Amino acid sequence: MADKVKLAYYLSGGCGGCDMAIIDLSENLVDLLPRLDVVFWAPTVADVKYRDLEGLPDKSIDVGLFSGMIRLSEQEHMAAIMRRKCRTLIAYGACAALGGIPGMGNMHSKEEIFQTAYFDTLSTDNPDGVIPQTRCLVDGKYELTLPEFYRYVRPLQDVAEVDYFVGGCPPHHSFVARVIPDILGGSFPAPGSWITSDKAVCALCDRNPAVKGEEMKLIKTIKRTTDGPPEEGKCLLQQGYLCLGAVTQGDCGALCPKVNIPCRGCGGPVPGVKDFGLRAISAVASLLENEELVDRIPSPVKLFYRYSLPASMLGRKIK
Ligand code: SF4
Ligand code: SF4
Ligand code: SF4
Protein backbone atom coordinates (compact mmCIF):
# COMPACT_ATOMS: atom_id res chain seq x y z
CA MET A 1 0.00 0.00 0.00
CA ALA A 2 1.09 3.57 -0.57
CA ASP A 3 2.00 5.71 2.46
CA LYS A 4 -1.55 6.92 2.87
CA VAL A 5 -4.36 4.39 2.69
CA LYS A 6 -7.15 5.39 0.33
CA LEU A 7 -10.44 4.79 2.13
CA ALA A 8 -14.05 4.95 0.94
CA TYR A 9 -17.12 4.69 3.15
CA TYR A 10 -20.68 4.22 1.97
CA LEU A 11 -23.81 4.10 4.13
CA SER A 12 -26.44 2.04 2.40
CA GLY A 13 -29.68 0.98 4.15
CA GLY A 14 -28.83 1.71 7.77
CA CYS A 15 -29.22 4.25 10.52
CA GLY A 16 -25.79 5.94 10.49
CA GLY A 17 -24.82 4.38 13.82
CA CYS A 18 -21.93 2.58 12.12
CA ASP A 19 -20.59 5.96 10.96
CA MET A 20 -20.88 7.15 14.55
CA ALA A 21 -18.73 4.22 15.72
CA ILE A 22 -15.89 5.78 13.70
CA ILE A 23 -16.57 9.28 15.00
CA ASP A 24 -16.58 7.74 18.52
CA LEU A 25 -12.91 6.87 18.03
CA SER A 26 -12.42 10.50 19.15
CA GLU A 27 -8.71 11.09 19.89
CA ASN A 28 -7.79 7.76 18.24
CA LEU A 29 -9.25 9.19 15.05
CA VAL A 30 -6.89 12.16 15.27
CA ASP A 31 -3.98 9.69 15.29
CA LEU A 32 -5.38 7.76 12.34
CA LEU A 33 -6.28 10.62 10.03
CA PRO A 34 -2.70 11.43 8.88
CA ARG A 35 -2.50 7.85 7.58
CA LEU A 36 -5.75 8.11 5.64
CA ASP A 37 -6.78 9.60 2.33
CA VAL A 38 -10.56 9.57 2.53
CA VAL A 39 -11.60 9.69 -1.13
CA PHE A 40 -15.33 9.13 -0.64
CA TRP A 41 -17.69 9.17 2.37
CA ALA A 42 -21.36 9.32 1.57
CA PRO A 43 -24.01 10.28 2.23
CA THR A 44 -23.41 11.21 5.87
CA VAL A 45 -20.18 13.22 5.57
CA ALA A 46 -20.15 14.66 2.04
CA ASP A 47 -22.80 15.62 -0.50
CA VAL A 48 -21.66 13.54 -3.47
CA LYS A 49 -22.98 12.30 -6.79
CA TYR A 50 -22.72 8.78 -8.19
CA ARG A 51 -20.16 10.01 -10.68
CA ASP A 52 -17.77 11.06 -7.88
CA LEU A 53 -17.25 7.37 -7.15
CA GLU A 54 -17.90 6.06 -10.67
CA GLY A 55 -15.22 8.38 -12.07
CA LEU A 56 -12.41 6.93 -9.94
CA PRO A 57 -10.18 4.31 -11.59
CA ASP A 58 -11.13 0.69 -10.84
CA LYS A 59 -9.32 -0.78 -7.79
CA SER A 60 -7.87 2.63 -6.96
CA ILE A 61 -9.28 2.58 -3.39
CA ASP A 62 -7.40 0.42 -0.89
CA VAL A 63 -10.23 -0.22 1.57
CA GLY A 64 -13.97 0.26 1.24
CA LEU A 65 -16.21 0.16 4.30
CA PHE A 66 -19.81 -0.57 3.33
CA SER A 67 -22.42 -0.20 6.05
CA GLY A 68 -26.13 -0.86 5.81
CA MET A 69 -28.21 -3.48 4.00
CA ILE A 70 -29.56 -3.60 0.44
CA ARG A 71 -33.23 -2.73 0.01
CA LEU A 72 -33.20 -0.28 -2.90
CA SER A 73 -31.93 -0.51 -6.48
CA GLU A 74 -29.70 2.50 -5.72
CA GLN A 75 -28.02 0.59 -2.89
CA GLU A 76 -27.39 -2.40 -5.15
CA HIS A 77 -25.91 -0.06 -7.76
CA MET A 78 -23.59 1.56 -5.20
CA ALA A 79 -22.51 -1.84 -3.88
CA ALA A 80 -21.44 -2.84 -7.39
CA ILE A 81 -19.48 0.39 -7.84
CA MET A 82 -17.82 0.09 -4.42
CA ARG A 83 -16.81 -3.46 -5.34
CA ARG A 84 -15.32 -2.29 -8.63
CA LYS A 85 -13.38 0.61 -7.13
CA CYS A 86 -12.11 -1.00 -3.89
CA ARG A 87 -9.35 -3.55 -3.65
CA THR A 88 -10.70 -4.70 -0.27
CA LEU A 89 -14.40 -4.43 0.49
CA ILE A 90 -15.58 -4.83 4.08
CA ALA A 91 -19.19 -5.44 5.13
CA TYR A 92 -19.03 -3.16 8.16
CA GLY A 93 -21.66 -3.69 10.86
CA ALA A 94 -24.59 -6.04 11.34
CA CYS A 95 -26.75 -4.56 8.55
CA ALA A 96 -24.15 -5.00 5.82
CA ALA A 97 -22.87 -8.32 7.12
CA LEU A 98 -26.18 -10.00 8.00
CA GLY A 99 -29.09 -7.75 7.01
CA GLY A 100 -29.37 -6.32 10.54
CA ILE A 101 -32.43 -4.91 12.24
CA PRO A 102 -33.94 -3.67 8.93
CA GLY A 103 -33.87 -7.33 7.88
CA MET A 104 -36.83 -7.86 10.21
CA GLY A 105 -38.77 -6.33 7.33
CA ASN A 106 -38.39 -9.72 5.63
CA MET A 107 -41.13 -10.93 7.97
CA HIS A 108 -43.54 -8.78 5.97
CA SER A 109 -44.40 -8.28 2.31
CA LYS A 110 -43.62 -5.05 0.49
CA GLU A 111 -47.37 -4.36 0.33
CA GLU A 112 -47.72 -4.71 4.11
CA ILE A 113 -44.78 -2.37 4.69
CA PHE A 114 -46.20 0.27 2.32
CA GLN A 115 -49.64 -0.09 3.90
CA THR A 116 -48.19 0.60 7.35
CA ALA A 117 -45.83 3.38 6.27
CA TYR A 118 -48.15 5.31 3.94
CA PHE A 119 -51.62 4.62 5.36
CA ASP A 120 -51.88 3.08 8.83
CA THR A 121 -49.54 4.94 11.16
CA LEU A 122 -51.15 7.60 13.34
CA SER A 123 -48.84 10.29 11.98
CA THR A 124 -49.66 9.56 8.31
CA ASP A 125 -51.71 12.19 6.50
CA ASN A 126 -52.23 10.82 2.98
CA PRO A 127 -55.80 11.59 1.84
CA ASP A 128 -55.00 10.94 -1.84
CA GLY A 129 -53.48 7.53 -1.09
CA VAL A 130 -50.15 8.40 -2.72
CA ILE A 131 -47.41 5.80 -2.59
CA PRO A 132 -43.89 6.19 -4.04
CA GLN A 133 -43.51 5.43 -7.76
CA THR A 134 -40.18 4.75 -9.48
CA ARG A 135 -41.12 7.25 -12.23
CA CYS A 136 -43.50 10.14 -12.47
CA LEU A 137 -44.04 13.12 -14.73
CA VAL A 138 -44.39 16.56 -13.14
CA ASP A 139 -46.26 19.25 -15.11
CA GLY A 140 -46.40 16.80 -17.99
CA LYS A 141 -42.72 17.31 -18.86
CA TYR A 142 -40.33 16.79 -15.92
CA GLU A 143 -39.58 13.16 -15.26
CA LEU A 144 -38.67 12.35 -11.66
CA THR A 145 -37.30 8.99 -10.62
CA LEU A 146 -36.94 7.15 -7.32
CA PRO A 147 -34.97 3.96 -6.63
CA GLU A 148 -36.97 0.73 -6.75
CA PHE A 149 -37.94 -0.64 -3.32
CA TYR A 150 -37.12 -4.35 -3.56
CA ARG A 151 -39.36 -6.99 -2.06
CA TYR A 152 -36.75 -8.10 0.47
CA VAL A 153 -33.68 -6.95 2.38
CA ARG A 154 -30.37 -8.55 1.42
CA PRO A 155 -26.94 -8.44 3.06
CA LEU A 156 -24.06 -7.01 1.02
CA GLN A 157 -22.65 -10.41 0.10
CA ASP A 158 -25.83 -11.23 -1.85
CA VAL A 159 -25.09 -8.47 -4.35
CA ALA A 160 -21.28 -8.08 -4.28
CA GLU A 161 -18.29 -10.17 -3.33
CA VAL A 162 -17.27 -9.31 0.23
CA ASP A 163 -13.69 -9.69 1.43
CA TYR A 164 -14.31 -9.32 5.19
CA PHE A 165 -17.11 -8.92 7.67
CA VAL A 166 -17.29 -6.84 10.86
CA GLY A 167 -20.16 -7.39 13.30
CA GLY A 168 -21.89 -5.09 15.75
CA CYS A 169 -24.86 -2.77 15.67
CA PRO A 170 -22.81 -0.67 15.56
CA PRO A 171 -19.31 -2.15 15.82
CA HIS A 172 -17.99 -1.12 19.22
CA HIS A 173 -15.60 1.83 18.97
CA SER A 174 -12.98 0.15 21.17
CA PHE A 175 -12.90 -2.78 18.75
CA VAL A 176 -12.80 -0.46 15.74
CA ALA A 177 -9.87 1.36 17.38
CA ARG A 178 -8.06 -1.98 17.70
CA VAL A 179 -8.68 -3.26 14.17
CA ILE A 180 -8.37 -0.12 12.05
CA PRO A 181 -4.58 0.14 12.53
CA ASP A 182 -4.34 -3.51 11.37
CA ILE A 183 -6.50 -2.75 8.35
CA LEU A 184 -4.43 0.32 7.51
CA GLY A 185 -1.30 -1.79 7.79
CA GLY A 186 -2.77 -4.28 5.29
CA SER A 187 -2.99 -7.03 7.91
CA PHE A 188 -6.11 -9.10 7.24
CA PRO A 189 -7.33 -12.57 8.23
CA ALA A 190 -8.15 -15.23 5.63
CA PRO A 191 -10.30 -13.87 2.77
CA GLY A 192 -14.02 -14.15 3.40
CA SER A 193 -13.69 -14.25 7.18
CA TRP A 194 -14.94 -12.02 9.96
CA ILE A 195 -12.55 -9.53 11.48
CA THR A 196 -13.04 -10.45 15.12
CA SER A 197 -11.22 -11.17 18.34
CA ASP A 198 -12.65 -14.72 18.04
CA LYS A 199 -14.09 -14.72 21.58
CA ALA A 200 -17.76 -15.27 22.33
CA VAL A 201 -19.62 -12.79 24.56
CA CYS A 202 -19.94 -15.55 27.20
CA ALA A 203 -16.14 -15.94 27.28
CA LEU A 204 -15.83 -12.29 28.28
CA CYS A 205 -18.79 -12.15 30.63
CA ASP A 206 -18.21 -11.89 34.38
CA ARG A 207 -21.52 -13.68 34.99
CA ASN A 208 -20.41 -16.85 33.20
CA PRO A 209 -20.88 -19.82 35.59
CA ALA A 210 -18.00 -21.69 33.89
CA VAL A 211 -15.63 -18.77 34.53
CA LYS A 212 -16.72 -18.78 38.19
CA GLY A 213 -16.26 -22.56 38.45
CA GLU A 214 -20.02 -23.08 38.91
CA GLU A 215 -22.19 -25.73 37.32
CA MET A 216 -24.40 -24.78 34.31
CA LYS A 217 -27.99 -25.69 35.23
CA LEU A 218 -31.06 -26.30 33.07
CA ILE A 219 -33.34 -23.31 32.51
CA LYS A 220 -36.62 -23.69 34.45
CA THR A 221 -38.45 -20.59 33.20
CA ILE A 222 -38.50 -18.02 30.39
CA LYS A 223 -38.41 -14.37 31.41
CA ARG A 224 -38.41 -10.99 29.66
CA THR A 225 -36.75 -7.90 31.06
CA THR A 226 -40.27 -6.46 31.43
CA ASP A 227 -40.89 -9.17 34.06
CA GLY A 228 -38.48 -7.39 36.38
CA PRO A 229 -34.77 -6.69 36.56
CA PRO A 230 -32.41 -9.68 36.44
CA GLU A 231 -30.35 -10.51 39.50
CA GLU A 232 -26.95 -8.78 39.32
CA GLY A 233 -23.86 -10.91 38.85
CA LYS A 234 -25.75 -14.07 37.89
CA CYS A 235 -25.87 -15.53 34.37
CA LEU A 236 -28.91 -14.06 32.61
CA LEU A 237 -29.63 -17.23 30.69
CA GLN A 238 -29.58 -19.28 33.89
CA GLN A 239 -32.21 -16.89 35.27
CA GLY A 240 -34.41 -17.47 32.19
CA TYR A 241 -33.56 -14.28 30.26
CA LEU A 242 -32.71 -15.48 26.76
CA CYS A 243 -29.14 -14.27 26.37
CA LEU A 244 -27.38 -15.29 23.15
CA GLY A 245 -23.83 -14.63 24.35
CA ALA A 246 -22.70 -18.23 23.76
CA VAL A 247 -22.97 -17.93 19.96
CA THR A 248 -22.16 -14.23 19.51
CA GLN A 249 -18.77 -12.66 18.80
CA GLY A 250 -17.75 -10.63 21.84
CA ASP A 251 -15.94 -7.78 20.11
CA CYS A 252 -18.09 -5.39 22.16
CA GLY A 253 -16.51 -6.70 25.39
CA ALA A 254 -19.78 -8.26 26.61
CA LEU A 255 -21.37 -4.84 26.81
CA CYS A 256 -25.01 -5.78 27.36
CA PRO A 257 -24.65 -8.37 30.19
CA LYS A 258 -22.48 -5.80 31.98
CA VAL A 259 -25.54 -3.56 32.24
CA ASN A 260 -28.01 -6.35 33.03
CA ILE A 261 -29.30 -6.75 29.46
CA PRO A 262 -29.25 -10.08 27.60
CA CYS A 263 -27.06 -10.26 24.49
CA ARG A 264 -29.21 -10.24 21.36
CA GLY A 265 -26.49 -11.23 18.94
CA CYS A 266 -25.55 -8.01 17.16
CA GLY A 267 -21.86 -9.01 17.10
CA GLY A 268 -22.58 -11.76 14.59
CA PRO A 269 -21.92 -15.48 14.78
CA VAL A 270 -18.85 -16.94 16.46
CA PRO A 271 -16.40 -18.39 13.92
CA GLY A 272 -17.55 -21.58 12.24
CA VAL A 273 -21.28 -20.81 12.56
CA LYS A 274 -23.07 -20.32 9.24
CA ASP A 275 -26.61 -19.60 10.45
CA PHE A 276 -26.65 -17.49 13.61
CA GLY A 277 -30.33 -18.04 14.42
CA LEU A 278 -30.17 -21.81 14.07
CA ARG A 279 -27.13 -22.05 16.33
CA ALA A 280 -28.75 -19.72 18.87
CA ILE A 281 -31.92 -21.84 18.92
CA SER A 282 -29.81 -24.95 19.40
CA ALA A 283 -27.78 -23.36 22.23
CA VAL A 284 -30.88 -22.24 24.13
CA ALA A 285 -32.92 -25.40 23.44
CA SER A 286 -30.16 -27.62 24.81
CA LEU A 287 -30.55 -25.88 28.20
CA LEU A 288 -34.35 -25.87 28.50
CA GLU A 289 -35.64 -28.09 31.29
CA ASN A 290 -38.76 -29.11 29.35
CA GLU A 291 -40.40 -28.67 25.93
CA GLU A 292 -43.30 -26.59 27.29
CA LEU A 293 -40.88 -23.70 27.78
CA VAL A 294 -40.55 -23.40 23.99
CA ASP A 295 -44.13 -22.06 23.76
CA ARG A 296 -43.21 -19.30 26.21
CA ILE A 297 -40.46 -17.86 23.99
CA PRO A 298 -41.89 -14.60 22.65
CA SER A 299 -41.52 -13.93 18.87
CA PRO A 300 -38.84 -16.59 18.30
CA VAL A 301 -37.84 -15.39 14.82
CA LYS A 302 -37.46 -11.81 16.00
CA LEU A 303 -35.47 -12.99 19.00
CA PHE A 304 -33.09 -15.47 17.39
CA TYR A 305 -32.76 -13.77 13.97
CA ARG A 306 -32.96 -10.17 15.12
CA TYR A 307 -29.82 -9.16 13.24
CA SER A 308 -29.39 -11.97 10.76
CA LEU A 309 -32.65 -13.03 9.07
CA PRO A 310 -31.68 -11.98 5.49
CA ALA A 311 -28.36 -13.86 5.75
CA SER A 312 -29.95 -16.99 7.22
CA MET A 313 -31.16 -20.13 5.50
CA LEU A 314 -34.72 -18.95 6.12
CA GLY A 315 -34.03 -15.53 4.63
CA ARG A 316 -37.59 -14.31 4.83
CA LYS A 317 -41.15 -15.21 5.63
CA ILE A 318 -42.92 -16.92 2.73
CA LYS A 319 -46.69 -16.86 2.89
S1 SF4 B 1 -25.62 -2.10 11.96
FE1 SF4 B 1 -26.88 -1.01 13.47
S2 SF4 B 1 -25.77 0.93 13.78
FE2 SF4 B 1 -25.01 0.05 11.85
S3 SF4 B 1 -26.33 0.95 10.25
FE3 SF4 B 1 -27.25 -1.02 10.86
S4 SF4 B 1 -28.79 -0.43 12.41
FE4 SF4 B 1 -27.36 1.29 12.23
S1 SF4 C 1 -25.44 -16.37 28.69
FE1 SF4 C 1 -25.25 -14.14 28.83
S2 SF4 C 1 -25.20 -13.67 31.01
FE2 SF4 C 1 -24.76 -15.86 30.78
S3 SF4 C 1 -22.55 -15.99 30.69
FE3 SF4 C 1 -23.26 -15.84 28.57
S4 SF4 C 1 -23.21 -13.66 28.10
FE4 SF4 C 1 -23.09 -13.85 30.33
S1 SF4 D 1 -23.58 -8.00 24.18
FE1 SF4 D 1 -24.42 -8.86 22.31
S2 SF4 D 1 -26.13 -7.51 21.69
FE2 SF4 D 1 -24.86 -6.43 23.25
S3 SF4 D 1 -23.42 -5.18 22.06
FE3 SF4 D 1 -22.40 -7.14 22.53
S4 SF4 D 1 -22.83 -8.47 20.77
FE4 SF4 D 1 -24.26 -6.76 20.67
Side-chain angles (χ1 to χ4, degrees), residues 5-293:
V5 174
K6 285 194 178 358
L7 181 86
Y9 188 106
Y10 182 67
L11 166 61
S12 181
C15 72
C18 285
D19 299 53
M20 286 308 298
I22 293 182
I23 306 303
D24 281 348
L25 292 172
S26 48
E27 65 269 22
N28 289 319
L29 189 57
V30 177
D31 295 337
L32 289 172
L33 282 176
R35 297 170 62 190
L36 286 177
D37 179 10
V38 181
V39 295
F40 184 84
W41 191 318
T44 37
V45 169
D47 177 19
V48 291
K49 307 292 177 216
Y50 296 153
R51 61 176 176 272
D52 294 325
L53 188 61
E54 288 166 342
L56 297 173
D58 288 357
K59 302 295 174 211
S60 64
I61 301 168
D62 295 310
V63 178
L65 296 177
F66 191 101
S67 75
M69 51 73 193
I70 310 293
R71 181 87 206 209
L72 305 175
S73 53
E74 175 187 59
Q75 293 157 352
E76 185 175 20
H77 175 70
M78 290 303 285
I81 303 174
M82 282 285 279
R83 177 63 281 180
R84 222 168 51 237
K85 304 299 168 184
C86 299
R87 291 205 278 136
T88 298
L89 184 63
I90 300 175
Y92 173 73
C95 286
L98 298 165
I101 291 278
M104 286 287 89
N106 286 5
M107 292 292 289
H108 306 276
S109 68
K110 176 178 169 179
E111 290 73 24
E112 286 170 343
I113 291 170
F114 274 32
Q115 179 66 34
T116 301
Y118 296 106
F119 297 97
D120 293 347
T121 56
L122 289 176
S123 56
T124 300
D125 181 17
N126 186 10
D128 298 329
V130 176
I131 58 168
Q133 306 295 317
T134 50
R135 288 181 187 281
C136 76
L137 216 54
V138 179
D139 294 340
K141 51 185 174 177
Y142 304 111
E143 188 183 57
L144 297 183
T145 60
L146 277 178
E148 182 184 348
F149 186 94
Y150 290 145
R151 298 200 72 76
Y152 299 104
V153 168
R154 287 176 290 173
L156 178 60
Q157 64 175 321
D158 280 12
V159 300
E161 190 180 347
V162 172
D163 296 309
Y164 302 102
F165 301 84
V166 172
C169 178
H172 195 266
H173 61 85
S174 63
F175 179 68
V176 177
R178 280 206 311 280
V179 299
I180 282 209
D182 293 345
I183 290 172
L184 298 188
S187 163
F188 292 107
S193 47
W194 288 73
I195 298 174
T196 170
S197 56
D198 275 357
K199 287 198 174 114
V201 173
C202 281
L204 302 166
C205 176
D206 295 339
R207 299 167 180 259
N208 191 336
V211 170
K212 294 195 281 186
E214 293 168 6
E215 192 190 341
M216 200 76 173
K217 299 193 182 97
L218 291 178
I219 305 167
K220 295 181 190 311
T221 183
I222 302 291
K223 287 188 192 163
R224 307 182 76 171
T225 43
T226 47
D227 294 330
E231 205 180 305
E232 295 277 355
K234 203 173 155 195
C235 173
L236 297 161
L237 188 56
Q238 293 278 274
Q239 297 179 59
Y241 298 95
L242 296 178
C243 180
L244 308 182
V247 293
T248 305
Q249 289 172 164
D251 301 321
C252 62
L255 206 60
C256 296
K258 275 196 180 113
V259 292
N260 234 7
I261 297 173
C263 171
R264 292 301 189 222
C266 86
V270 288
V273 171
K274 291 220 168 2
D275 190 306
F276 178 88
L278 271 185
R279 186 57 72 92
I281 290 168
S282 159
V284 168
S286 66
L287 283 173
L288 295 182
E289 193 185 59
N290 59 65
E291 281 181 24
E292 285 69 48
L293 289 173

